[in-house]
Amino acid sequence: MKNLNLALLTAGLLSTLPVMAQQQNTLIYCSEGSPTSFDAAQSTTGTTFDAAAHPIYNTLIQVKRGTTEIEPGLAASWEVSDDGLIYTFHLRKGVKFHTTNYFKPTRDFNADDVIYTFDRLSNAEHPFNKAYPAEFPYYKEMSLDKTIKTIEKLDDYTIKMVLNNIDASFLQTIAMPIGGIYSAEYLEHLLKTGKAANIAHEPLGTGPFIFQRYQKDASIRYKANKNYWDKENMPLVDNLLFSINTDPAVRAQKLQAGECHLMAYPLPADIPNLKKNDKLKIISAPGFNVGFLYYNTEKEPTNNAAVRRALDMAINRSSLIPAVYGEQGQAAINPMPPTQWSYNKDIKATEYNIEQAKALLTEAGYPNGFTIDLWSLPVQRPYNPNGRLMAELLQSDWAKIGVKANIVTYEWGEYLKRSSKGEHQVSMVGWTGDNGDPDNWLGNLFGCAAVNGSNHSRFCYKPFQKLLDEAKRSADHEHRIKLYEQAQVIFHEQKPASPIGTSIVNVPMAKNVEGYKVSPYGSMQFKGVSLK
């Protein structure tokens, strides 16, 4: 009875959404999943960044909306020393932190907040980390823990960062959500009141929207930050509501019924019907994403490169891609999309060859095949519109070489946590690029520093890593291209993962939505968006 009452209550709330939108100038986004935490620094997932980073926090450097270009954020300007090791940031004045029902700031943003934020990320002995232990995988995956040597406050609005080595992608990296600046005053308040863990569900930043409340797996409510500093990207609605539903068909129904204004990740098969609806429009853009099968290189039998190559060779992509992606995707060849600079065009697609795959298994000591667990995505992602269908097709393909795949899945947050820690044999995950640099693909997904984070293969291979390290520390663009092209060759020789597909990004929305821009990095951002 309790569950029934809850369902009726939820249905009642949802039925009022169109009325709420009209009365309160509320933009409603049909989201595909729940954030893992509102402490965005702990996450590596786009779902969490969309809900907990982009609306609430700002970074020193930000990405210009709808582009890959960086521009001033909380840092109004900056200089870089001739040797590329010293970055001096001049901070923006007059930036207000959010006032919420759980905290009212007494001062504006300043250098203390930058120092506190980065110290928390880098220092396990930081008092806040002692009170609320947390891991910041993205900070380590992007090697910021090794790159940043010191951060010094020169005055209230000037920060100097000294690096241990040249990092060609440093500015792009700190423009990512991991660089979101927290209020030192608020975190100190939580610390003093014994409520440090509240940062995970009571966030407070300087961003375009102010967090109000979260109903787990149902909705997130924000109100516009009328004091937002970025006058060119102001919130243009009074309220923002994330309506969460993991079923893309339900999201499409709600969009067509007027219960939301935008939706995440429609099924490829639904695109034609959505295009026929004269109340809707669809903005499309090439996807900067790749869906992968990650092979755990630390567990049998996928710790054997011949096994990994055999599994990859047994995937019938000519059937799988049209079945899963429809006309909204293409087969992926390399561990980065073709639009990423340094993409190795000389590498050809893996040949589908059952007999050769069987021969590789025999060579590896498995002439009769084996049984393996295949983890299927529990949610829809831009790089994989239908994890369950993909898993079933892979199960059928691998059966032809004597490999029995048991399909396994978990709730999305649990799935990511377990896969990051290496509990899987084969897991289905993927990536949308964050900063336009090749290291965000090769290093962040297959580098040694990303093990226990986004490196779900747990691949740490010295010849590969040596190329990545040299490339990241080089200021010579052409040299970096050659190094990353070589790294892609080694990737295919070792096959820590199978690139599967790259999708077109489609964002269906009501016709009265104006100002929305598709992010090349796949994020859903609502500053500058209005309802006509």
Side-chain angles (χ1 to χ4, degrees):
M1 188 67 179
K2 181 179 179 181
N3 291 336
L4 176 60
N5 289 338
L6 178 60
L8 291 172
L9 176 61
T10 302
L13 287 171
L14 292 178
S15 68
T16 67
L17 293 183
V19 176
M20 288 172 56
Q22 293 174 358
Q23 292 178 344
Q24 301 176 6
N25 190 24
T26 298
L27 178 67
I28 303 174
Y29 165 54
C30 278
S31 169
E32 82 288 3
S34 301
T36 54
S37 167
F38 284 91
D39 181 13
Q42 296 187 44
S43 182
T44 62
T45 72
T47 303
T48 295
F49 292 155
D50 289 342
H54 299 303
I56 300 168
Y57 293 101
N58 291 122
T59 49
L60 293 175
I61 312 295
Q62 65 184 21
V63 178
K64 188 175 181 180
R65 204 159 58 94
T67 76
T68 60
E69 301 171 25
I70 58 171
E71 63 179 5
L74 292 179
S77 63
W78 60 90
E79 297 102 33
V80 185
S81 63
D82 291 341
D83 63 4
L85 296 177
I86 301 175
Y87 288 72
T88 304
F89 296 97
H90 303 282
L91 306 182
R92 198 176 296 275
K93 297 179 181 179
V95 176
K96 308 290 184 185
F97 279 102
H98 299 158
T99 294
T100 68
N101 59 5
Y102 42 85
F103 188 73
K104 183 177 181 179
T106 63
R107 64 164 178 81
D108 292 351
F109 156 79
N110 65 30
D112 293 332
D113 304 303
V114 180
I115 297 292
Y116 199 100
T117 295
F118 280 91
D119 194 26
R120 178 188 174 223
L121 292 172
S122 63
N123 180 11
E125 300 302 314
H126 190 283
F128 199 90
N129 291 332
K130 289 289 189 179
Y132 176 54
E135 295 182 359
F136 309 111
Y138 224 157
Y139 191 80
K140 291 183 178 180
E141 288 173 23
M142 299 306 294
S143 299
L144 289 173
D145 58 329
K146 297 176 182 177
T147 299
I148 298 175
K149 182 177 181 180
T150 60
I151 303 179
E152 180 183 352
K153 172 184 173 181
L154 302 184
D155 59 46
D156 282 348
Y157 292 96
T158 311
I159 289 290
K160 181 172 75 173
M161 291 191 183
V162 180
L163 309 188
N164 283 309
N165 50 262
I166 292 175
D167 182 344
S169 62
F170 182 67
L171 290 176
Q172 287 83 356
T173 297
I174 64 171
M176 292 161 50
I178 188 59
I181 304 300
Y182 288 59
S183 164
E185 182 187 23
Y186 176 50
L187 268 62
E188 279 295 297
H189 164 76
L190 293 178
L191 192 58
K192 291 175 182 176
T193 56
K195 298 179 180 179
N198 284 18
I199 191 62
H201 57 86
E202 291 184 345
L204 184 145
T206 58
F209 292 95
I210 301 170
F211 175 81
Q212 290 188 291
R213 61 185 179 274
Y214 170 47
Q215 182 181 355
K216 185 171 173 56
D217 299 331
S219 65
I220 313 169
R221 297 177 184 274
Y222 314 81
K223 66 179 180 180
N225 178 7
K226 301 298 184 180
N227 293 317
Y228 191 47
W229 59 270
D230 189 352
K231 303 309 177 186
E232 294 184 5
N233 294 289
M234 290 292 290
L236 300 179
V237 292
D238 295 329
N239 303 283
L240 174 64
L241 173 66
F242 279 38
S243 177
I244 301 167
N245 196 295
T246 59
D247 188 332
V250 173
R251 296 197 300 273
Q253 290 169 5
K254 290 175 67 175
L255 178 67
Q256 295 185 89
E259 294 181 7
C260 57
H261 298 103
L262 303 93
M263 71 166 285
Y265 314 130
L267 286 170
D270 287 342
I271 297 295
N273 285 334
L274 292 171
K275 286 183 175 179
K276 292 177 184 177
N277 190 322
D278 59 7
K279 295 181 181 179
L280 304 177
K281 59 184 176 182
I282 298 179
I283 299 179
S284 302
F288 196 55
N289 58 63
V290 176
F292 292 98
L293 284 183
Y294 285 94
Y295 304 117
N296 191 330
T297 59
E298 294 180 347
K299 280 188 176 182
E300 293 184 354
T302 51
N303 60 347
N304 188 312
V307 169
R308 301 193 295 266
R309 291 197 302 273
L311 292 173
D312 181 71
M313 192 173 287
I315 299 171
N316 187 351
R317 289 171 171 82
S318 63
S319 297
L320 185 150
I321 296 299
V324 175
Y325 294 87
E327 297 180 357
Q328 304 301 313
Q330 63 185 39
I333 297 173
N334 286 331
M336 58 175 69
T339 50
Q340 172 65 64
W341 64 265
S342 80
Y343 180 90
N344 192 331
K345 297 178 182 178
D346 293 332
I347 294 175
K348 305 303 180 185
T350 301
E351 178 189 4
Y352 172 59
N353 191 321
I354 293 297
E355 294 308 313
Q356 182 62 33
K358 289 180 178 179
L360 282 171
L361 288 186
T362 299
E363 173 192 323
Y366 298 97
N368 300 315
F370 48 79
T371 298
I372 198 168
D373 285 345
L374 168 62
W375 289 23
S376 169
L377 272 177
V379 297
Q380 195 179 10
R381 304 303 300 138
Y383 49 74
N384 187 337
N386 195 330
R388 181 69 191 189
L389 175 58
M390 184 181 289
E392 291 170 351
L393 293 171
L394 291 168
Q395 186 182 53
S396 175
D397 286 345
W398 287 349
K400 296 172 185 176
I401 60 171
V403 174
K404 179 183 177 182
N406 298 317
I407 299 175
V408 177
T409 195
Y410 299 92
E411 179 273 330
W412 181 223
E414 188 70 13
Y415 182 101
L416 282 174
K417 179 180 176 181
R418 288 172 177 261
S419 183
S420 294
K421 298 300 182 185
E423 295 184 19
H424 63 293
Q425 289 175 298
V426 183
S427 70
M428 191 183 296
V429 196
W431 195 252
T432 298
D434 286 312
N435 65 12
D437 193 89
D439 187 73
N440 188 234
W441 294 93
L442 300 181
N444 205 61
L445 302 184
F446 302 103
C448 297
V451 172
N452 291 323
S454 296
N455 184 348
H456 295 266
S457 296
R458 308 182 73 78
F459 183 64
C460 184
Y461 187 59
K462 288 183 179 180
F464 182 81
Q465 187 64 47
K466 183 180 179 181
L467 293 171
L468 301 189
D469 291 342
E470 184 179 346
K472 192 168 185 180
R473 295 174 183 177
S474 173
D476 184 332
H477 184 70
E478 293 304 316
H479 183 54
R480 295 188 78 206
I481 289 176
K482 291 179 181 178
L483 292 170
Y484 287 128
E485 287 178 343
Q486 293 173 34
Q488 289 167 74
V489 172
I490 293 177
F491 172 89
H492 283 283
E493 291 171 351
Q494 294 298 314
K495 201 67 72 174
S498 289
I500 300 296
T502 294
S503 73
I504 296 171
V505 173
N506 294 290
V507 184
M509 63 190 72
K511 281 192 173 178
N512 67 328
V513 175
E514 295 188 339
Y516 182 84
K517 295 185 179 182
V518 175
S519 166
Y521 299 142
S523 62
M524 302 293 291
Q525 299 189 45
F526 303 105
K527 58 187 180 182
V529 180
S530 64
L531 297 173
K532 183 167 63 177

